[in-house]
CSV table of all heavy atoms in Angstrom, one decimal:
chain,number,residue,atom,x,y,z
A,21,ALA,N,78.1,100.9,153.5
A,21,ALA,CA,77.1,101.9,153.5
A,21,ALA,C,77.6,103.3,153.8
A,21,ALA,O,77.4,104.3,153.0
A,21,ALA,CB,76.1,101.6,154.6
A,22,LEU,N,78.6,103.3,154.7
A,22,LEU,CA,79.3,104.6,155.0
A,22,LEU,C,80.2,105.0,153.8
A,22,LEU,O,80.1,106.3,153.4
A,22,LEU,CB,80.2,104.5,156.2
A,22,LEU,CG,80.7,105.7,156.8
A,22,LEU,CD1,79.7,106.7,157.2
A,22,LEU,CD2,81.6,105.3,158.0
A,23,ALA,N,80.7,104.1,153.1
A,23,ALA,CA,81.6,104.5,151.8
A,23,ALA,C,80.5,105.0,150.8
A,23,ALA,O,80.9,106.0,150.1
A,23,ALA,CB,82.3,103.3,151.3
A,24,TRP,N,79.4,104.5,150.7
A,24,TRP,CA,78.3,104.8,149.7
A,24,TRP,C,77.9,106.3,150.0
A,24,TRP,O,77.9,107.1,149.0
A,24,TRP,CB,77.2,103.9,149.6
A,24,TRP,CG,75.9,104.4,149.0
A,24,TRP,CD1,74.8,104.8,149.5
A,24,TRP,CD2,75.8,104.3,147.5
A,24,TRP,NE1,74.0,105.1,148.4
A,24,TRP,CE2,74.5,104.9,147.3
A,24,TRP,CE3,76.6,104.0,146.5
A,24,TRP,CZ2,74.0,105.0,146.0
A,24,TRP,CZ3,76.1,104.1,145.2
A,24,TRP,CH2,74.8,104.6,145.0
A,25,ILE,N,77.7,106.6,151.3
A,25,ILE,CA,77.2,108.0,151.6
A,25,ILE,C,78.4,109.0,151.2
A,25,ILE,O,77.9,110.0,150.7
A,25,ILE,CB,76.9,107.9,153.2
A,25,ILE,CG1,75.6,107.2,153.5
A,25,ILE,CG2,76.8,109.3,153.7
A,25,ILE,CD1,75.4,106.9,154.9
A,26,LYS,N,79.5,108.6,151.5
A,26,LYS,CA,80.6,109.6,151.2
A,26,LYS,C,80.6,109.8,149.7
A,26,LYS,O,80.9,110.8,149.2
A,26,LYS,CB,81.9,109.0,151.8
A,26,LYS,CG,82.1,109.0,153.2
A,26,LYS,CD,83.5,108.5,153.6
A,26,LYS,CE,83.6,108.3,155.0
A,26,LYS,NZ,84.9,107.6,155.3
A,27,ARG,N,80.6,108.7,148.9
A,27,ARG,CA,80.6,108.8,147.5
A,27,ARG,C,79.6,109.6,146.9
A,27,ARG,O,79.7,110.4,146.0
A,27,ARG,CB,80.6,107.5,146.7
A,27,ARG,CG,82.0,106.8,146.7
A,27,ARG,CD,81.9,105.6,145.7
A,27,ARG,NE,80.8,104.6,145.9
A,27,ARG,CZ,80.9,103.6,146.7
A,27,ARG,NH1,81.9,103.4,147.5
A,27,ARG,NH2,79.9,102.8,146.8
A,28,MET,N,78.4,109.6,147.5
A,28,MET,CA,77.2,110.4,147.0
A,28,MET,C,77.2,111.8,147.6
A,28,MET,O,76.3,112.6,147.3
A,28,MET,CB,75.9,109.7,147.5
A,28,MET,CG,75.8,108.3,146.8
A,28,MET,SD,75.6,108.4,145.0
A,28,MET,CE,77.1,107.7,144.5
A,29,ASP,N,78.0,112.2,148.4
A,29,ASP,CA,78.1,113.6,149.1
A,29,ASP,C,78.5,114.5,148.1
A,29,ASP,O,79.7,114.6,147.7
A,29,ASP,CB,79.0,113.5,150.3
A,29,ASP,CG,79.1,114.9,150.9
A,29,ASP,OD1,78.2,115.7,150.7
A,29,ASP,OD2,80.1,115.1,151.7
A,30,SER,N,77.7,115.3,147.6
A,30,SER,CA,78.0,116.5,146.6
A,30,SER,C,78.5,117.7,147.2
A,30,SER,O,78.9,118.6,146.6
A,30,SER,CB,76.8,116.7,145.7
A,30,SER,OG,75.7,117.1,146.5
A,31,SER,N,78.5,117.8,148.7
A,31,SER,CA,78.9,119.1,149.3
A,31,SER,C,80.2,119.1,149.6
A,31,SER,O,80.8,119.9,150.1
A,31,SER,CB,78.1,119.2,150.5
A,31,SER,OG,78.4,118.2,151.6
A,32,GLY,N,81.0,118.0,149.3
A,32,GLY,CA,82.4,117.8,149.6
A,32,GLY,C,82.6,117.7,151.1
A,32,GLY,O,83.7,118.2,151.6
A,33,GLY,N,81.7,117.2,151.9
A,33,GLY,CA,81.8,117.2,153.3
A,33,GLY,C,81.5,118.4,154.1
A,33,GLY,O,81.5,118.4,155.3
A,34,ALA,N,81.0,119.5,153.4
A,34,ALA,CA,80.7,120.7,154.1
A,34,ALA,C,79.3,120.7,154.5
A,34,ALA,O,79.0,121.5,155.5
A,34,ALA,CB,80.9,121.8,153.0
A,35,GLY,N,78.4,119.9,154.1
A,35,GLY,CA,77.1,120.0,154.7
A,35,GLY,C,76.7,118.7,155.2
A,35,GLY,O,77.4,117.8,155.5
A,36,SER,N,75.3,118.5,155.4
A,36,SER,CA,74.8,117.2,156.0
A,36,SER,C,74.9,116.2,154.9
A,36,SER,O,74.6,116.4,153.7
A,36,SER,CB,73.4,117.5,156.3
A,36,SER,OG,72.7,116.3,156.7
A,37,LEU,N,75.3,115.0,155.3
A,37,LEU,CA,75.5,113.9,154.3
A,37,LEU,C,74.1,113.4,154.0
A,37,LEU,O,73.2,113.0,154.8
A,37,LEU,CB,76.4,112.8,154.9
A,37,LEU,CG,77.8,113.1,155.2
A,37,LEU,CD1,78.4,112.0,156.0
A,37,LEU,CD2,78.5,113.4,153.8
A,38,PRO,N,73.8,113.2,152.6
A,38,PRO,CA,72.7,112.5,152.1
A,38,PRO,C,72.7,111.0,152.6
A,38,PRO,O,73.8,110.4,152.6
A,38,PRO,CB,72.7,112.6,150.6
A,38,PRO,CG,74.2,112.7,150.3
A,38,PRO,CD,74.9,113.4,151.5
A,39,GLY,N,71.5,110.5,153.1
A,39,GLY,CA,71.4,109.2,153.4
A,39,GLY,C,71.8,108.9,154.9
A,39,GLY,O,71.7,107.7,155.4
A,40,ILE,N,72.4,109.8,155.6
A,40,ILE,CA,72.9,109.5,157.0
A,40,ILE,C,71.7,109.1,158.0
A,40,ILE,O,71.9,108.4,158.7
A,40,ILE,CB,73.6,110.7,157.5
A,40,ILE,CG1,74.6,110.2,158.7
A,40,ILE,CG2,72.8,111.8,158.0
A,40,ILE,CD1,75.7,109.3,158.1
A,41,THR,N,70.6,109.7,157.7
A,41,THR,CA,69.4,109.4,158.6
A,41,THR,C,69.1,107.8,158.5
A,41,THR,O,68.8,107.1,159.4
A,41,THR,CB,68.2,110.3,158.3
A,41,THR,OG1,68.6,111.6,158.6
A,41,THR,CG2,67.0,110.0,159.2
A,42,GLY,N,68.9,107.4,157.2
A,42,GLY,CA,68.6,106.0,156.9
A,42,GLY,C,69.6,105.1,157.5
A,42,GLY,O,69.4,104.0,158.0
A,43,PHE,N,71.0,105.6,157.3
A,43,PHE,CA,72.2,104.7,157.8
A,43,PHE,C,72.0,104.6,159.3
A,43,PHE,O,72.2,103.5,159.9
A,43,PHE,CB,73.4,105.5,157.4
A,43,PHE,CG,74.6,104.9,158.0
A,43,PHE,CD1,75.1,103.8,157.6
A,43,PHE,CD2,75.3,105.6,159.0
A,43,PHE,CE1,76.3,103.2,158.1
A,43,PHE,CE2,76.5,105.1,159.5
A,43,PHE,CZ,77.0,103.8,159.0
A,44,ARG,N,71.8,105.7,160.0
A,44,ARG,CA,71.7,105.6,161.5
A,44,ARG,C,70.6,104.7,162.0
A,44,ARG,O,70.6,103.9,163.0
A,44,ARG,CB,71.5,107.0,162.1
A,44,ARG,CG,72.8,107.8,162.0
A,44,ARG,CD,72.7,109.1,162.8
A,44,ARG,NE,71.8,110.1,162.3
A,44,ARG,CZ,72.1,111.3,161.9
A,44,ARG,NH1,73.2,111.8,162.0
A,44,ARG,NH2,71.0,112.0,161.3
A,45,LYS,N,69.4,104.9,161.3
A,45,LYS,CA,68.1,104.0,161.6
A,45,LYS,C,68.6,102.5,161.4
A,45,LYS,O,68.2,101.8,162.3
A,45,LYS,CB,67.1,104.4,160.7
A,45,LYS,CG,65.8,103.6,160.9
A,45,LYS,CD,64.7,104.1,160.0
A,45,LYS,CE,63.4,103.2,160.3
A,45,LYS,NZ,62.5,103.3,159.2
A,46,ALA,N,69.2,102.2,160.3
A,46,ALA,CA,69.6,100.8,160.2
A,46,ALA,C,70.5,100.3,161.2
A,46,ALA,O,70.4,99.1,161.7
A,46,ALA,CB,70.2,100.6,158.8
A,47,ILE,N,71.4,101.1,161.6
A,47,ILE,CA,72.5,100.6,162.6
A,47,ILE,C,71.8,100.5,164.0
A,47,ILE,O,72.0,99.4,164.6
A,47,ILE,CB,73.6,101.7,162.7
A,47,ILE,CG1,74.4,101.8,161.4
A,47,ILE,CG2,74.4,101.4,163.9
A,47,ILE,CD1,75.2,100.6,161.1
A,48,LEU,N,70.8,101.3,164.3
A,48,LEU,CA,70.1,101.2,165.5
A,48,LEU,C,69.2,99.9,165.6
A,48,LEU,O,68.9,99.2,166.4
A,48,LEU,CB,69.2,102.5,165.8
A,48,LEU,CG,70.0,103.7,166.2
A,48,LEU,CD1,69.2,104.8,166.4
A,48,LEU,CD2,70.7,103.4,167.5
A,49,GLU,N,68.7,99.6,164.3
A,49,GLU,CA,67.7,98.3,164.1
A,49,GLU,C,68.6,97.1,164.2
A,49,GLU,O,68.1,96.0,164.6
A,49,GLU,CB,67.0,98.4,162.8
A,49,GLU,CG,65.9,99.5,162.7
A,49,GLU,CD,65.2,99.5,161.5
A,49,GLU,OE1,65.4,98.6,160.5
A,49,GLU,OE2,64.5,100.5,161.2
A,50,ARG,N,69.8,97.2,163.6
A,50,ARG,CA,70.8,96.1,163.6
A,50,ARG,C,72.1,96.3,164.2
A,50,ARG,O,73.1,96.3,163.5
A,50,ARG,CB,70.9,95.6,162.2
A,50,ARG,CG,70.1,94.4,161.8
A,50,ARG,CD,70.5,93.6,160.7
A,50,ARG,NE,71.6,92.6,161.2
A,50,ARG,CZ,72.5,92.1,160.2
A,50,ARG,NH1,72.4,92.5,159.0
A,50,ARG,NH2,73.4,91.2,160.6
A,51,PRO,N,72.2,96.6,165.5
A,51,PRO,CA,73.4,96.9,166.0
A,51,PRO,C,74.5,95.8,165.9
A,51,PRO,O,75.6,96.0,165.9
A,51,PRO,CB,73.2,97.2,167.6
A,51,PRO,CG,71.8,96.4,167.8
A,51,PRO,CD,71.1,96.5,166.5
A,52,ASP,N,74.0,94.6,165.8
A,52,ASP,CA,75.0,93.4,165.6
A,52,ASP,C,75.7,93.5,164.3
A,52,ASP,O,76.9,93.0,164.2
A,52,ASP,CB,74.2,92.0,165.5
A,52,ASP,CG,73.2,92.0,164.3
A,52,ASP,OD1,72.3,92.9,164.2
A,52,ASP,OD2,73.4,91.0,163.6
A,53,SER,N,75.3,94.5,163.4
A,53,SER,CA,76.2,94.8,162.2
A,53,SER,C,77.5,95.4,162.5
A,53,SER,O,78.4,95.5,161.7
A,53,SER,CB,75.4,95.6,161.2
A,53,SER,OG,75.2,96.9,161.7
A,54,LEU,N,77.7,95.9,163.7
A,54,LEU,CA,78.9,96.6,164.2
A,54,LEU,C,79.9,95.6,164.8
A,54,LEU,O,81.0,96.0,165.3
A,54,LEU,CB,78.6,97.8,165.1
A,54,LEU,CG,77.7,98.8,164.5
A,54,LEU,CD1,77.5,100.0,165.6
A,54,LEU,CD2,78.4,99.4,163.2
A,55,LYS,N,79.5,94.4,165.1
A,55,LYS,CA,80.3,93.4,165.8
A,55,LYS,C,81.8,93.3,165.2
A,55,LYS,O,82.7,93.2,166.0
A,55,LYS,CB,79.7,92.1,165.9
A,55,LYS,CG,78.4,92.1,166.8
A,55,LYS,CD,77.9,90.6,166.9
A,55,LYS,CE,78.7,89.8,167.8
A,55,LYS,NZ,78.0,88.6,168.2
A,56,ASN,N,81.9,93.3,163.9
A,56,ASN,CA,83.2,93.1,163.3
A,56,ASN,C,83.8,94.2,162.6
A,56,ASN,O,84.7,94.1,161.8
A,56,ASN,CB,83.0,91.8,162.3
A,56,ASN,CG,82.7,90.6,163.1
A,56,ASN,OD1,83.2,90.3,164.0
A,56,ASN,ND2,81.7,89.9,162.4
A,57,VAL,N,83.3,95.4,162.9
A,57,VAL,CA,83.8,96.7,162.3
A,57,VAL,C,85.1,97.1,162.9
A,57,VAL,O,85.2,97.1,164.2
A,57,VAL,CB,82.7,97.8,162.5
A,57,VAL,CG1,83.2,99.1,162.1
A,57,VAL,CG2,81.4,97.4,161.7
A,58,ASP,N,86.1,97.4,162.1
A,58,ASP,CA,87.3,97.9,162.7
A,58,ASP,C,87.3,99.2,163.5
A,58,ASP,O,86.2,99.9,163.3
A,58,ASP,CB,88.4,98.0,161.6
A,58,ASP,CG,88.0,99.0,160.6
A,58,ASP,OD1,88.3,100.2,160.9
A,58,ASP,OD2,87.5,98.7,159.5
A,59,ASP,N,88.2,99.5,164.3
A,59,ASP,CA,88.1,100.6,165.2
A,59,ASP,C,88.0,102.0,164.3
A,59,ASP,O,87.2,102.9,164.8
A,59,ASP,CB,89.3,100.7,166.0
A,59,ASP,CG,89.2,99.6,167.2
A,59,ASP,OD1,88.2,98.9,167.3
A,59,ASP,OD2,90.1,99.5,168.0
A,60,ALA,N,88.7,102.1,163.2
A,60,ALA,CA,88.6,103.3,162.4
A,60,ALA,C,87.2,103.6,161.9
A,60,ALA,O,86.6,104.7,162.0
A,60,ALA,CB,89.7,103.2,161.3
A,61,THR,N,86.7,102.5,161.4
A,61,THR,CA,85.3,102.6,160.8
A,61,THR,C,84.3,102.9,162.0
A,61,THR,O,83.4,103.7,161.9
A,61,THR,CB,85.0,101.4,160.0
A,61,THR,OG1,85.9,101.2,158.9
A,61,THR,CG2,83.5,101.4,159.4
A,62,LEU,N,84.4,102.2,163.1
A,62,LEU,CA,83.5,102.3,164.2
A,62,LEU,C,83.6,103.9,164.6
A,62,LEU,O,82.6,104.5,164.9
A,62,LEU,CB,83.9,101.4,165.4
A,62,LEU,CG,82.9,101.4,166.5
A,62,LEU,CD1,81.5,101.0,166.1
A,62,LEU,CD2,83.4,100.5,167.7
A,63,GLY,N,84.8,104.5,164.7
A,63,GLY,CA,84.9,105.9,165.1
A,63,GLY,C,84.2,106.7,164.0
A,63,GLY,O,83.6,107.8,164.5
A,64,GLU,N,84.3,106.5,162.8
A,64,GLU,CA,83.6,107.3,161.7
A,64,GLU,C,82.1,107.1,162.0
A,64,GLU,O,81.3,108.1,161.9
A,64,GLU,CB,83.9,106.7,160.3
A,64,GLU,CG,85.2,107.3,159.9
A,64,GLU,CD,85.4,106.9,158.4
A,64,GLU,OE1,84.7,107.7,157.5
A,64,GLU,OE2,86.2,106.1,158.1
A,65,ILE,N,81.7,106.0,162.3
A,65,ILE,CA,80.2,105.7,162.5
A,65,ILE,C,79.7,106.5,163.7
A,65,ILE,O,78.6,107.1,163.6
A,65,ILE,CB,79.9,104.2,162.6
A,65,ILE,CG1,80.1,103.6,161.2
A,65,ILE,CG2,78.5,104.0,163.1
A,65,ILE,CD1,80.1,102.0,161.2
A,66,VAL,N,80.5,106.5,164.8
A,66,VAL,CA,80.1,107.1,166.0
A,66,VAL,C,80.0,108.7,165.7
A,66,VAL,O,79.0,109.3,166.1
A,66,VAL,CB,81.0,106.9,167.1
A,66,VAL,CG1,80.8,107.8,168.3
A,66,VAL,CG2,81.0,105.4,167.5
A,67,ALA,N,80.8,109.2,164.9
A,67,ALA,CA,80.9,110.6,164.5
A,67,ALA,C,79.6,111.0,163.7
A,67,ALA,O,79.1,112.1,163.9
A,67,ALA,CB,82.2,111.0,163.7
């Protein structure tokens, strides 16, 4: 999901990422999805 958001970012990282609100909502609804996430990805998600 994070990779998808980055691919769809037309601002080149300069603005708000499209889809980030839905992403955060899903993570809060299903925190167990973070159980096997590597540290680098977890750090990106936290950011």
Side-chain angles (χ1 to χ4, degrees):
L22 194 55
W24 169 256
I25 289 168
K26 287 180 190 176
R27 278 194 308 274
M28 296 296 113
D29 178 18
S30 62
S31 74
S36 176
L37 292 174
I40 202 67
T41 302
F43 173 75
R44 287 189 296 237
K45 180 180 177 196
I47 295 297
L48 289 171
E49 288 178 16
R50 254 205 85 204
D52 62 305
S53 67
L54 300 180
K55 286 180 81 165
N56 297 314
V57 171
D58 64 82
D59 288 354
T61 303
L62 187 62
E64 280 190 73
I65 290 169
V66 169

